Amino acid sequence: MTATTNGTATALPSAPAPDATTPATRGRPPTAAPRPWAALLALVPAAAALAICLRGLGEREMWNNEYATWHAITLSLGDFEELLRRTDLVHVVYYMVMRVWIDLVGDTPFQLRIPSAVAMAACAGLVTLIARRLVGVPIGLAAGLLFAVIPAVSRYGQETRSYAAVTVAGAFATLMLLRALERPAVPRLVAYGVSVALMGLVHFVSLTVLAAHFVLWLCATRGEDDVERRWRLAFGCGFGLLGVIWLPAIASHQSASISWIKADKAAILAFPADMFLSAPFALVLGVLSVLGAAYLWFAPSVRNRPVAGMLLAWAVVPPVFVLVTFPVLHMFLPRYVLVVLPAWAILAATGAYLSGRLIWPHLGPATAVLTVAGVVWVGLPAHALVRQSPVDGQPDYRAAITMIDQRQRPGDGVVFNDPFGRLSDLAREAWDYEMRDKRKPRDVFLDKTAAERASFSASECAVAKSCLKNEPRLWVIYTGWSDDPFDGMPADRAQLLELRYQTKQTVRFTDVDLVLLERRKVR
């Protein structure tokens, strides 16, 4: 395949026809011939992903990270700016978009999660378009559907955090690269540069996808006649990087907020299952992906090593990066590298499709269909688990706060006791959200709110007696593991409460206890 650039015929990566099953030219990364009807097939996986993410979108209660998002995007502009100076700068673009979103739409769980659902749906469509260019239309359709049914896509497509945005940004930048490789006209180069900048601004860890871009760029422009195209593409990428190069340097100084993350042996072994949110799903997709990479790399009839190398770099480099840089960045967390999911889906679809074709030339489509059906079945328990309320391992703040709302009396107060001393007032963030439009008891030991401090944590009274008034009843929201609701509380505060109040009722919810205290009668 050739194209004319400045009057010179320049070799472009050869491509399979849209109905082909294997790359037409060995050793050269392909790009698909333009067929509008083939591109429209991307709507099928996009619709499937959207339907999956919208199912029960507003039913699961918010959890800690989502409460933190709501807190950040409802701060005044001045406080929001101050917050970003201290922490969470990596989420700045997502926060800014969400600030506009809630002003336009609202802040119920359903409304807050719609952008993530749409982002995952868009990503499923992009996966189809990317795979279509790399390995053909049938595999592209299967890859998009495989991506749509990954449990992690379902979970983070229903979350008020930037993970879905990061995933779609990585896929979008990759598609822009393929378009620029196909024809490096100025508009396409600018689009690629902008997509790289956007990818880095959504979350700088997504820039690790550039390792995969480098592999494809190097292979696609290795000919003597491709020198100009090589440097055009390099300039486009560099143009994008200039817009985000400052972010990792600044954000690395804000790693204290994620210092709880571990990278020990247990965390490393659990990483694949946690990334897909299903160990069986990870195993099935992993086996299929190995087959896909092997076929692309070794099989004489399908060999296309640049594509195999590019997809492997996309799938593996981001997790390796967060592991190697853990001592500095503390980002070895599966949900931080969801940007790799498209690569795994494409490799797995390739493995499934080509396995069938090796058995019988016309078996590829049937194998792809059976594979998608099989992984759906394997992932069903995980899809149910990610929709349970509250999220697995998270406190059921909503149930506890709802009880307070229903049973509160005038003059009641509320006390928070988190013995683990987290960097963020998780229970208070939940309290502020769940009671945002309601009359609520006084936060007895509150000194300055998190909003007043432009932080994720409030400050509390240094002297307990100065804050405790004559509240007839106190509701204690306790998130420790002891049977004693005062365990972990400052000693003077615990002694004061035990002296003046007696326990009237204790109600245990998932990972949170609600204790009602009544004032002792003076004898």
Side-chain angles (χ1 to χ4, degrees), residues 238-358:
F239 161 73
L241 285 174
L242 285 177
V244 295
I245 197 67
W246 54 274
L247 186 58
I250 298 177
S252 64
H253 299 298
Q254 299 183 344
S255 60
S257 61
I258 51 174
S259 59
W260 54 271
I261 297 175
K262 297 181 179 180
D264 53 18
K265 182 179 179 180
I268 294 173
L269 292 176
F271 197 93
D274 290 343
M275 187 170 66
F276 291 99
L277 292 182
S278 168
F281 197 100
L283 178 61
V284 171
L285 219 66
V287 171
L288 291 172
S289 296
V290 170
L291 287 175
Y295 285 137
L296 288 173
W297 194 274
F298 295 111
S301 62
V302 299
R303 187 164 61 209
N304 200 317
R305 289 179 176 175
V307 171
M310 176 262 193
L311 291 173
L312 286 171
W314 188 356
V316 174
V317 169
V320 171
F321 173 82
V322 294
L323 176 60
V324 171
T325 61
F326 176 77
V328 177
L329 299 177
H330 299 284
M331 301 196 75
F332 187 69
L333 202 64
R335 59 177 178 263
Y336 288 167
V337 292
L338 296 183
V339 71
V340 305
L341 296 183
W344 286 102
I346 296 171
L347 283 170
T350 303
Y353 192 91
L354 294 180
S355 295
R357 282 189 56 81
L358 287 180

Side-chain angles (χ1 to χ4, degrees), residues 13 28-29 177-178 180-181 189 192 210-223 226-237 306 310:
R28 305 283 284 178
L177 170 67
L178 293 176
L181 282 171
L189 293 172
Y192 176 54
L210 293 179
H213 292 191
F214 177 76
V215 171
L216 199 61
W217 167 78
L218 200 62
C219 294
T221 60
R222 64 188 177 188
D226 282 341
V227 174
E228 180 181 350
R229 188 158 61 109
R230 169 175 289 188
W231 290 111
R232 281 192 173 201
L233 288 163
F235 176 80
C237 181
M310 176 262 193

